[in-house]
Amino acid sequence: MRNADAGTVAELVQRQWGDHRVGLRDHGLALSHHQVAAGAAARAALLVDLVPRGAEPHFGVLLDNAPEFPLWLSAAALAGAAVAGINPTRRGPELARDILHTDCRVLVTERAHLPLLDGLDLPGVRVLVTDTDAYAELLAPYAAAEPGEATLGPVGPGSRLLLYFTSGSTGAPKAAICSQGRLAAAGASLVKHFGVREDDVHYICMPMFHGNAVIADWAPALAGGAGVALSRRFSASGFLDDVRTYRATYFTYVGRAVQYLLATPERHDDRSHCLRLGFGTEAGAVDAARFEARFGTRLVEGYGSSEGGAAIQRTPGTPAGAIGRAGPGDDLAVVDPGTGEERAPAVLDPGGRLVNGAEAIGELVNRGRSPFEGYWRHPAADAARTRGGWYWTGDLFFRDAEGFLYFAGRGDDRLRVDSENLAAAMIENILARWPDAAGVAVYAVPDPVAGDQVMAALALREGVSAFDAAGFSEFLAAQADLGTKMAPRFVRVLRQLPVTATNKIHRVALRREGFGGGAAFHEGFGADEVWWAEPGGSGYRPLTGADRAALLTEYREHGRENQL
């Protein structure tokens, strides 16, 4: 196993120079580690010439998982620049806002994503389209560059390398900062934890604009001298074929990816591959066990805030349903968000159901040293995240008497849908345009398998007697800025929205009631109408008693009934 320790990611890229083993694989392409380092050096030199003097050394990458993505990550490290991962599910002004907020003066994209940029006002942003002759001609003069020759300034452990977006309760996504030193340390830690070898192949099928793919997959491969293989986008049907083709040994996942893999037809050769480990979040104990039984590959569940402030890893002996205990160096506690006092230990019945949720559930905080490096140009969010000297995750947990931590939901108005962090306020702003709505509140309800689903509570305006499901579907389809994960799965139609004494929407009450009517998920939904977009269906239809029973069964099968 290679010595993975390095002070910067730039050092790790420079180590690839002269290594002629295959380092980067894509369908129809294989580059050696040396070629990756050479390609990164060329792009770093080009970047130095393109970024105006005095500008922030930032550029955006709006790409699928194409070879250009890791090449530009490596180039950023060499040049002392920072990459803003631009999410292609964002639309219109919100997409433009992400690019401009992070002070990108260059945007690297591909022809497939050019329609997303149509009509956007991006002053001062140079767009490079990687799969064009013009791009090849622009890059050609820099082919002889070597690592370390061209930089935008001093390169050290504190140099910004990643600006990746995470959502919170304030509306617009915030760009979390990750330095070269933190990313290099994260890669080295995973190399040691999982025993990454030089002959390993890390399969990257999660989107590289997301921290999971870069921090938990690309970084340990780079630190351990392993190869990287790419899937442009996650494909459940193509996963096993890719794993075999690339002889992949390791992959990462988030959200429902594991469930999608388990939903593929079983094959006689499901265990015929080299894959030995998957590392990620939100698969759940039930599906992790099913995955290992079917594919013979162990899944290691972990929890880590996108900003790096707290981490939990599942270890042998972790009870079913638990995430694990605190990671090395963390002092994690579950506290009352208002007072900071620790919550009572969880009491679980013989079936594992939490019986004292009111006393046990609180916000997870890290009271120890936190590697959180802040948000780009958002001091108020920095202060809120680190108030009182603690790192506040914004996520709800409970903790049993043995110290094992259990995820209980997202705090405030956060939602995590298919591994995407969303802010309820942004979805509300879009839904509020619907002419029939007098009021809108968006909140998370637990997904039966992993993460959340979007619930929209709608109060109809005076004179509208009934919810127009077809009209609502047509309205959603016409909203250009409604991202692919934002459309509500459930719509709860209310006579009026609950409010607090100060006339604010009573979000706590809505989240507590979930699907409607207090504890009515087990007893019926009360008088409120609930509609839903059934997976695989078309449009919205009423949620029936049979639908509720089927959903409850699904929650129980995946060990998530506690979250209702």
Side-chain angles (χ1 to χ4, degrees), residues 138-172:
L138 186 66
L139 191 58
Y142 302 93
E146 295 188 11
E149 287 184 342
T151 67
L152 289 163
V155 178
S159 300
R160 288 189 300 273
L161 179 58
L162 302 178
L163 296 168
Y164 51 98
F165 286 100
T166 178
S167 295
S169 58
T170 56

Side-chain angles (χ1 to χ4, degrees), residues 177-445:
I177 298 169
C178 181
S179 66
Q180 291 214 27
R182 180 156 77 87
L183 187 59
S189 175
L190 289 173
V191 167
K192 294 170 184 174
H193 188 72
F194 293 132
V196 176
R197 305 186 301 260
E198 290 187 347
D199 59 352
D200 280 328
V201 176
H202 285 212
Y203 178 53
I204 301 180
C205 55
M206 295 293 101
M208 294 192 74
F209 67 78
H210 191 276
N212 168 274
V214 175
I215 297 171
D217 212 341
W218 180 73
L222 185 65
V228 165
L230 301 175
S231 172
R232 287 189 65 89
R233 298 178 183 178
F234 173 72
S235 167
S237 61
F239 177 87
L240 206 53
D241 289 338
D242 272 358
V243 163
R244 291 197 183 99
T245 298
Y246 296 134
R247 299 186 64 79
T249 57
Y250 172 99
F251 79 107
T252 62
Y253 59 88
V254 290
R256 298 172 64 93
V258 168
Q259 189 207 18
Y260 295 146
L261 292 171
L262 290 170
T264 59
E266 292 193 28
R267 295 168 21 175
H268 72 280
D269 57 354
D270 276 343
R271 285 175 167 247
S272 178
H273 55 74
C274 300
L275 196 63
R276 72 170 188 271
L277 181 69
F279 176 54
T281 63
E282 301 181 23
V286 173
D287 283 343
R290 290 175 179 169
F291 192 90
E292 184 168 7
R294 176 173 167 183
F295 296 105
T297 300
R298 181 170 66 101
L299 299 185
V300 177
E301 282 278 292
Y303 166 87
S305 64
S306 298
E307 299 86 343
I312 305 169
Q313 288 187 0
R314 186 177 181 87
T315 55
T318 299
I323 301 295
R325 288 191 172 103
D330 284 345
D331 178 14
L332 302 187
V334 177
V335 304
D336 183 300
T339 67
E341 295 181 1
E342 284 202 55
R343 306 296 277 162
V347 177
L348 307 176
D349 67 15
R353 184 183 176 92
L354 179 66
V355 299
N356 66 333
E359 296 80 28
I361 294 176
E363 184 170 349
L364 183 71
V365 298
N366 184 3
R367 301 178 298 193
R369 183 177 179 276
S370 167
F372 173 59
E373 296 176 295
Y375 298 108
W376 180 248
R377 298 199 189 284
H378 210 319
D382 291 348
R385 185 65 75 186
T386 57
R387 65 186 186 274
W390 294 353
Y391 177 85
W392 296 75
T393 67
D395 290 331
L396 303 177
F397 276 77
F398 55 90
R399 190 176 204 161
D400 68 18
E402 302 299 319
F404 289 101
L405 292 156
Y406 298 71
F407 180 73
R410 304 286 165 184
D412 300 322
D413 69 343
R414 296 167 178 246
L415 304 90
R416 187 173 177 84
V417 180
D418 278 350
S419 81
E420 290 278 342
N421 287 320
L422 306 175
M426 298 183 66
I427 306 175
E428 288 172 354
N429 290 339
I430 296 171
L431 300 188
R433 303 168 191 158
W434 189 45
D436 285 0
V440 179
V442 169
Y443 55 103
V445 292

